[in-house]
């Protein structure tokens, strides 16, 4: 099982991403006839801090709202706007935000790694924290790797954020899997090592990303990955070797 952003994907964000996200937000509102009493810059100065506050709260509660709840209730809290029209375009806003706030590219050799895992006969899935219901699916399609995945579990769909045990349990139930027979690959200790370790996953991999130093603020004693890797393709080579060793030991 894989995390998405920062793991299967390389991520990057800077001031230009924020500017383009503000423009995208204003453009979607205009497209759907959602009138707001502010210009683009002033609207962003009001909405952005409220979204950051929601993100901070969600990091504590480990609960995720649907887009049609998030944007009217948090992003546009205190702003006079047609709530019904806003809710109707909230998924479009969430999708735009995910692909604009961060520059995203599929990691080098990720496609070859995924193909290798499927050739080994392994079950492959994504477990991701995201505010959009459909963005991960469409991004996997755009990368040309959707066919390698047996399942996709998203916080925006199930309502729980990593490292909440329920999002991992749902992913396991959907694959009818036992945790000890699974491996998890992620870029943060706080979400992608702590959660799988608590659930008893058999193997945990960690790969560094732009998000790693941002999300891993704190000490996580007792939670360490089995493997720290720099190349995502190493997931395939390590699991292939382990499978071969297991097969030879069973003879």
């Amino acid at each position: 099982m894989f995390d998405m952003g920062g793991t299967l994907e390389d991520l990057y964000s800077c001031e230009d991403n924020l500017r383009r996200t503000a423009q995208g937000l204003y453009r979607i509102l205009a497209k759907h006839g959602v009138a707001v009493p502010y210009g683009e810059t002033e609207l962003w100065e009001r909405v952005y801090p409220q979204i950051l506050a929601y993100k901070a709260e969600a990091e504590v509660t480990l609960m995720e709202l649907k887009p049609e709840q998030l944007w009217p209730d948090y992003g546009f809290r205190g702003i006079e706007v047609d709530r019904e029209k806003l809710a109707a375009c909230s998924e479009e806003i969430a999708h735009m935000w995910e692909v604009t706030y961060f520059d995203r590219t599929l990691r080098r050799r990720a496609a070859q790694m995924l193909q290798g895992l499927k050739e080994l006969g392994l079950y492959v899935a994504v477990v991701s924290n995201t505010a959009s219901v459909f963005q991960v699916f469409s991004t996997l399609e755009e990368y040309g790797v959707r066919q390698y995945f047996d399942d996709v579990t998203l916080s925006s769909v199930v309502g729980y954020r990593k490292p909440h045990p329920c999002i991992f349990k749902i992913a396991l139930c959907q694959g009818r899997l036992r945790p000890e027979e699974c491996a998890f690959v992620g870029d943060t200790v706080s979400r992608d090592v702590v959660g799988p370790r608590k659930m008893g996953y058999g193997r945990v991999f960690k790969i560094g990303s732009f998000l790693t130093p941002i999300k891993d603020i704190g000490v996580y004693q007792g939670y360490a990955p089995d493997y720290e890797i720099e190349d995502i393709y190493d997931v395939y080579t390590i699991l292939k070797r382990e499978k071969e060793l297991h097969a030879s030991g069973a003879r």
Side-chain angles (χ1 to χ4, degrees):
M1 295 185 185
F2 292 87
D3 169 56
M4 183 70 173
T7 301
L8 290 170
E9 299 174 295
D10 278 318
L11 294 182
Y12 180 71
S13 188
C14 63
E15 286 297 322
D16 184 59
N17 292 82
L18 271 63
R19 178 185 58 79
R20 288 188 283 112
T21 305
Q23 293 171 344
L25 173 62
Y26 209 74
R27 184 169 56 250
I28 291 170
L29 295 174
K31 171 185 171 183
H32 291 276
V34 182
V36 290
Y38 309 109
E40 179 185 300
T41 300
E42 189 175 358
L43 179 67
W44 178 254
E45 290 172 349
R46 291 173 180 270
V47 170
Y48 185 47
Q50 299 190 142
I51 291 299
L52 292 180
Y54 164 75
K55 294 289 188 183
E57 180 181 317
E59 292 286 349
V60 176
T61 65
L62 301 183
M63 305 299 287
E64 192 84 79
L65 295 178
K66 297 286 191 295
E68 60 268 27
Q69 298 171 287
L70 167 58
W71 289 97
D73 295 349
Y74 279 83
F76 283 76
R77 179 182 290 170
I79 299 175
E80 290 188 16
V81 67
D82 186 320
R83 255 55 190 170
E84 187 173 338
K85 285 185 177 180
L86 177 60
C89 64
S90 287
E91 169 57 26
E92 187 174 345
I93 294 172
H95 188 290
M96 177 280 300
W97 193 287
E98 293 288 348
V99 300
T100 310
Y101 191 84
F102 290 106
D103 289 332
R104 298 171 176 268
T105 56
L106 186 67
R107 276 191 189 264
R108 188 180 69 87
R109 301 214 293 172
Q112 295 93 322
M113 177 271 299
L114 292 167
Q115 182 178 351
L117 295 180
K118 295 309 293 180
E119 289 173 355
L120 291 176
L122 298 181
Y123 179 95
V124 180
V126 165
V127 182
S128 178
N129 288 347
T130 176
S132 168
V133 174
F134 299 109
Q135 175 265 321
V136 170
F137 295 100
S138 62
T139 297
L140 291 173
E141 292 283 2
E142 290 168 11
Y143 291 151
V145 297
R146 178 68 180 91
Q147 69 274 18
Y148 297 127
F149 291 92
D150 299 287
D151 186 61
V152 175
T153 301
L154 305 175
S155 63
S156 56
V157 175
V158 303
Y160 299 100
R161 291 176 57 84
K162 295 179 297 177
H164 197 293
C166 281
I167 191 170
F168 294 102
K169 187 173 182 179
I170 290 167
L172 291 169
C173 288
Q174 290 180 158
R176 303 175 75 180
L177 301 167
R178 298 189 305 273
E180 63 270 18
E181 63 187 8
C182 295
F184 196 87
V185 187
D187 64 318
T188 62
V189 175
S190 56
R191 302 174 178 187
D192 304 315
V193 176
V194 171
R197 278 284 180 243
K198 286 185 175 180
M199 287 299 297
Y201 276 52
R203 290 288 181 273
V204 180
F205 293 75
K206 177 177 172 289
I207 187 168
S209 80
F210 173 80
L211 289 178
T212 305
I214 299 171
K215 299 300 182 182
D216 281 350
I217 299 174
V219 178
Y220 301 94
Q221 290 184 338
Y223 296 101
D226 297 291
Y227 300 102
E228 291 203 41
I229 59 175
E230 295 183 1
D231 185 343
I232 197 71
Y233 192 79
D234 289 344
V235 174
Y236 165 68
T237 57
I238 290 169
L239 292 181
K240 181 175 184 287
R241 183 175 67 243
E242 289 196 354
K243 187 174 183 179
E244 290 169 347
L245 288 172
H246 178 75
S248 63
R251 293 194 186 104

